[in-house]
């Protein structure tokens, strides 16, 4: 069996974002409602005892406090059930949480060499000493089985694959520490329980749905998918910035070639949006946008939602 816990579903900044007075952030702050969401990350486990994270958001410490499945075992002075962290990109909202995991517990980081190069070139990540924290390079289209802390096999197969996207925005206009070859900056993951064959997809950043991607996710039991913006220009229209979804490497939920339309005919049993920006009106329960996505079979998860496969 696979157990998956959604630690957070929001894009960079979370809901509310510290410096944002938009309708959604204001409402979340004012009413302390179910609108509050931390930045996107999931945890998954096959045995319920050892867990792996997909990405480590800046909200990780708060997420770990709120998630009983990830607490230290009772009676142990130092322990964490987190065996490893798999990184799908080098954005701040995917890697900054690693800095909260610096207290000497062993775990493994699995990331493409382009993301590992970013960690290596930023000396602050040296707080994760290589004696305790092993960094394993992963490759596009090469499945791997993450280890448990005792070195035994986890029984989980992870297949990383290339997804249309963009490199980390803070590197725009500067040399990438891994060079100019762009492949590997944005990964999707297929995560499977080897024994039961159950599997799901994690694709929290995606600029467009290609034929290749359609072929992979067709008939999947569960897909987590990029839900950054409802429409491409919503941040500009709301006066929040000059960036479109596409300029940030994210397709929109709605419209022609948006996520809802693109995944509509693929017979995916459960479709869950992740990495949702606080400008996205679908956050508001009962809004036209939220109702439209729910009618199309999608959901926006609350923090802490557990899904079993
Ligand atoms: Zn906002």
């Amino acid at each position: 069996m696979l157990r998956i816990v959604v630690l957070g579903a929001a894009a960079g900044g979370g809901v509310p974002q510290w410096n944002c007075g938009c309708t959604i952030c204001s409402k979340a702050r004012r009413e302390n409602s179910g609108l509050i969401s931390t930045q996107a990350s999931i945890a998954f486990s096959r045995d319920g005892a050892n867990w792996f994270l997909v990405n480590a958001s800046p909200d990780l410490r708060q997420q770990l406090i709120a998630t009983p499945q990830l607490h230290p075992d009772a009676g142990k002075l130092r322990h964490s059930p987190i065996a490893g962290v798999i990184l799908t990109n080098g954005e701040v909202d995917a890697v900054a949480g690693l800095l909260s995991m610096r207290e000497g517990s062993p775990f493994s980081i699995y990331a493409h060499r382009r993301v590992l190069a970013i960690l290596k070139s930023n000396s602050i990540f040296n707080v994760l000493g290589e004696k305790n924290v092993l960094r394993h390079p992963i490759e596009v289209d090469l499945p791997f089985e993450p280890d448990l802390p005792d070195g035994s096999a986890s029984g989980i197969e992870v297949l990383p694959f290339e997804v249309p996207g963009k490199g980390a925005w803070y590197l725009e206009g500067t040399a990438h520490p891994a060079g100019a070859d762009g492949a590997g900056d944005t990964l999707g993951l297929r995560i499977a329980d080897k024994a039961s064959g159950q599997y799901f997809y994690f694709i929290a950043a995606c600029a467009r749905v290609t034929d290749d991607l359609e072929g992979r996710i067709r008939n999947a039991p569960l897909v987590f998918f990029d839900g950054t913006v409802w429409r491409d220009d919503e941040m500009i229209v709301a006066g929040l910035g000059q960036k479109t979804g596409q300029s940030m490497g994210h397709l929109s939920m709605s419209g022609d070639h948006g996520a809802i339309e693109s995944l509509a005919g693929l017979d995916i049993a459960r479709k869950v949006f992740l990495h949702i920006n606080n400008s996205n009106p679908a956050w508001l329960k009962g809004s036209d946008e939220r109702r439209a996505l729910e009618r199309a079979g999608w959901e926006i998860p609350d923090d802490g939602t557990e899904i079993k496969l």
Side-chain angles (χ1 to χ4, degrees):
M1 182 174 74
L2 280 173
R3 292 173 63 185
I4 304 137
V5 177
V6 177
L7 302 182
V15 183
Q17 176 178 311
W18 73 285
N19 63 347
C20 190
C22 79
T23 309
I24 292 164
C25 289
S26 300
K27 191 173 165 63
R29 214 175 271 121
R30 192 174 57 242
E31 299 174 12
N32 195 20
S33 61
L35 262 181
I36 290 175
S37 179
T38 60
Q39 293 165 82
S41 172
I42 63 166
F44 66 89
S45 176
R46 188 175 162 269
D47 58 12
N50 297 283
W51 291 78
F52 295 90
L53 306 184
V54 179
N55 295 331
S57 97
D59 297 322
L60 183 63
R61 178 178 170 278
Q62 180 186 346
Q63 293 168 336
L64 297 187
I65 292 169
T67 308
Q69 297 92 331
L70 301 177
H71 290 176
D73 279 357
K76 291 187 179 166
L77 264 182
R78 286 287 163 87
H79 170 259
S80 169
I82 299 174
V85 183
I86 303 165
L87 304 175
T88 61
N89 64 77
E91 288 287 9
V92 173
D93 59 355
V95 305
L98 291 171
L99 298 174
S100 296
M101 299 178 72
R102 68 187 179 280
E103 313 292 353
S105 278
F107 69 98
S108 292
I109 296 172
Y110 300 86
H112 192 274
R113 63 176 181 78
R114 291 184 65 79
V115 175
L116 291 179
I118 291 173
L119 300 185
K120 192 167 185 184
S121 69
N122 284 276
S123 54
I124 194 168
F125 288 103
N126 292 346
V127 295
L128 302 169
E130 303 225 4
K131 183 167 137 281
N132 281 323
V133 183
L134 295 173
R135 302 181 186 187
H136 302 276
I138 61 176
E139 288 186 41
V140 169
D141 292 326
L142 191 66
F144 67 95
E145 183 169 1
D147 291 334
L148 299 182
D150 64 3
S152 63
S154 61
I156 294 168
E157 183 181 88
V158 182
L159 174 66
F161 56 92
E162 182 75 14
V163 174
K166 285 210 148 185
W169 66 265
Y170 57 82
L171 288 172
E172 272 181 18
T174 64
H176 194 296
D181 170 16
D185 275 318
T186 306
L187 298 179
L189 302 174
R190 181 189 191 275
I191 296 168
D193 174 2
K194 291 176 79 170
S196 71
Q198 281 290 8
Y199 67 97
F200 69 97
Y201 279 90
F202 180 96
I203 306 161
C206 182
R208 66 184 181 282
V209 178
T210 60
D211 291 345
D212 172 73
L213 183 56
E214 270 189 30
R216 290 178 189 272
I217 63 180
R218 186 181 294 278
N219 298 317
L222 170 66
V223 174
F224 292 99
F225 200 78
D226 184 347
T228 307
V229 290
W230 176 257
R231 46 180 278 184
D232 194 49
D233 62 353
E234 76 189 26
M235 289 180 68
I236 298 170
V237 172
L240 295 171
Q242 292 306 312
K243 288 184 174 172
T244 61
Q246 279 293 310
S247 75
M248 298 184 289
H250 300 287
L251 85 181
S252 54
M253 287 181 175
S254 68
D256 292 346
H257 309 296
I260 293 172
E261 183 191 279
S262 298
L263 273 61
L266 301 182
D267 293 320
I268 297 164
R270 191 163 179 180
K271 295 179 282 193
V272 182
F273 277 124
L274 271 191
H275 197 271
I276 304 153
N277 197 51
N278 57 67
S279 60
N280 190 326
W283 275 118
L284 297 171
K285 290 170 184 159
S287 64
D288 291 347
E289 293 83 358
R290 181 63 160 260
R291 284 205 297 268
L293 76 80
E294 287 171 350
R295 272 199 307 275
W298 286 84
E299 60 190 283
I300 291 178
D302 292 330
D303 288 12
T305 297
E306 179 164 343
I307 299 172
K308 292 177 178 156
L309 283 178

